[in-house]
Amino acid sequence: MQGIRRRLLFVGAALVATLAVGTIGFSVIAGYPAFDAFYMSLITITTVGYREIHPLNHAGRVFNTFLMIFGVGVMFYAFGVMTQTIIELQLSELLYRRRIKRMIDKLKNHFIVCGFGRVGRSAAEELQRSGAPFVVVDTDTPRIEQAVKKGMLAVAADAKNDETLQELHIERARGLVAALGSDADNLFLILSAKALNPKLKVSSRVNEKESERKLKMAGADAVFRPYNITGFRLAQAILRPYVFRFLEFATSTVDMGQNIGIEQVRVSPASEFASRSIKQMQIRRDLGVIVLAIRRGDGSMEFNPPAEAVVKGGDHLIVMGDLDHLRKMAKLMDEG
């Protein structure tokens, strides 16, 4: 893009310089008034073919001869550059769309972030920080450009259309974030998404409390009211500042310059760690990871489990530690 901009600036400067030289030349050599000199230069280099505004003397005709040769050459060059630029931009756009389509076609077990406003942008940044595969979709082109600048996979389209969701391969997606501007749009989006993939995990933003129940009935697994959450956190910051700081430390590590996070790790039934106690796993010693809770296969939650607690295949460990170590642990728990 920088090369195209420099090229266009050079062409513009060449045209302005040619007109300036022609205007000065006709004024000085032929004695034309300023505007007549400019007009004569313009019709000369554009090859319009009008006759001379005022009779030219010999010196004026000699000057006009050189202006025609040089000026017409500049105009042809300008037309050539413009044509080349248009073709390059169209070709670049075509290649970009094909590259994006290839990347989307490779997605599997991914997340779809619908809407890239303040809420959607925060969700996408968290997914990016976690290293999860995801794609952003929004109808606003500047927002999509902003997402691309952040290194995200993004497309400009209407998430409420079934065709858009199918192109994003929702049938093999893991989850969807409904962060569109209105509750009605999010409700329609959830209905469409659940119809295409009933197993899809959906989290949604909601503006009005009355809409929360409807979104859950439509299939949303989690519904959040951003302004309520913000107000709650503001109150917690002054009521329980140390608790608030700890939660910020664990969940907002990017802003605090840390690499600590909380993650859920599924223990595969085929894993060598299945049917072992937390003490036998030695994950705190080897990885520095703390087990906060165990989510059992039957849905029950065991908080602050003792070292003797046995972890079975299909359980989820709620753990806290270094993000790199958490990823390594997830890989170990999934290996047969």
Side-chain angles (χ1 to χ4, degrees):
M1 189 62 68
Q2 290 292 335
I4 293 177
R5 186 178 290 109
R6 286 195 298 268
R7 189 190 307 165
L8 293 177
L9 288 175
F10 176 77
V11 170
L15 289 174
V16 171
T18 303
L19 284 172
V21 170
T23 301
I24 295 172
F26 283 118
S27 297
V28 175
I29 299 175
Y32 278 19
F35 181 78
D36 289 350
F38 168 78
Y39 185 71
M40 186 65 187
S41 300
L42 186 62
I43 64 176
T44 298
I45 67 174
T46 56
T47 68
V48 172
Y50 292 158
R51 65 181 181 179
E52 299 169 358
I53 300 177
H54 304 293
L56 288 173
N57 54 25
H58 178 72
R61 290 180 177 178
V62 171
F63 171 77
N64 196 24
T65 300
F66 284 103
L67 181 63
M68 282 188 287
I69 296 174
F70 180 76
V72 171
V74 171
M75 287 298 297
F76 284 161
Y77 174 74
F79 282 126
V81 169
M82 290 297 295
T83 302
Q84 180 184 358
T85 301
I86 293 173
I87 293 175
E88 286 182 359
L89 288 175
Q90 291 179 339
L91 183 61
S92 176
E93 179 69 16
L94 178 62
L95 293 176
Y96 172 77
R97 290 182 179 179
R98 287 185 177 180
R99 182 169 64 87
I100 292 298
K101 187 178 185 305
R102 286 197 299 268
M103 295 175 67
I104 292 175
D105 289 341
K106 294 179 181 178
L107 289 176
K108 186 177 181 181
N109 205 30
H110 58 288
F111 298 91
I112 302 174
V113 180
C114 302
F116 200 68
R118 287 174 293 180
V119 175
R121 182 166 57 251
S122 297
E125 289 173 352
E126 175 60 22
L127 290 171
Q128 187 178 45
R129 182 180 72 88
S130 301
F134 70 97
V135 58
V136 174
V137 56
D138 196 299
T139 55
D140 190 272
T141 302
R143 289 181 176 179
I144 292 301
E145 292 175 352
Q146 184 181 6
V148 172
K149 289 180 180 179
K150 291 178 176 289
M152 301 175 182
L153 181 61
V155 293
D158 189 351
K160 300 190 300 297
N161 291 338
D162 288 354
E163 293 79 7
T164 299
L165 296 176
Q166 289 170 345
E167 290 176 359
L168 299 178
H169 299 290
I170 192 172
E171 73 281 354
R172 60 179 188 237
R174 178 180 174 185
L176 180 141
V177 176
L180 301 181
S182 70
D183 293 346
D185 287 343
N186 285 321
L187 178 61
F188 189 85
L189 170 61
I190 294 170
L191 289 172
S192 300
K194 281 292 188 176
L196 294 171
N197 184 355
K199 297 181 179 180
L200 189 72
K201 294 293 183 181
V202 176
S203 62
S204 175
R205 65 162 291 174
V206 63
N207 297 320
E208 303 297 334
K209 183 178 181 180
E210 293 75 15
S211 302
E212 186 173 346
R213 181 179 61 86
K214 296 179 182 178
L215 292 176
K216 289 183 177 179
M217 290 177 61
D221 298 281
V223 178
F224 301 94
R225 283 182 284 164
Y227 301 113
N228 282 40
I229 294 175
T230 302
F232 174 79
R233 290 167 69 89
L234 288 173
Q236 288 291 318
I238 57 177
L239 289 173
R240 304 173 183 85
Y242 302 129
V243 174
F244 175 79
R245 291 286 294 177
F246 173 77
L247 293 177
E248 285 289 288
F249 175 79
T251 61
S252 302
T253 56
V254 174
D255 295 333
M256 301 187 67
Q258 301 292 331
N259 197 38
I260 304 298
I262 297 177
E263 186 59 85
Q264 62 176 46
V265 177
R266 180 179 182 273
V267 180
S268 171
S271 172
E272 61 177 298
F273 292 95
S275 301
R276 287 189 184 183
S277 66
I278 296 177
K279 182 178 180 180
Q280 291 172 331
M281 289 182 176
Q282 296 291 347
I283 53 178
R284 183 168 185 174
R285 182 196 67 184
D286 298 337
L287 298 174
V289 173
I290 302 172
V291 179
L292 303 177
I294 303 175
R295 201 262 188 191
R296 299 295 183 181
D298 59 5
S300 62
M301 186 74 74
E302 183 178 349
F303 293 96
N304 191 25
E308 293 75 21
V310 177
V311 179
K312 301 177 181 179
D315 289 348
H316 286 77
L317 299 178
I318 312 301
V319 291
M320 179 178 178
D322 181 88
L323 292 178
D324 294 332
H325 292 169
L326 292 178
R327 296 189 187 100
K328 183 177 180 181
M329 177 182 173
K331 185 177 180 181
L332 290 173
M333 295 297 172
D334 190 50
E335 292 178 349

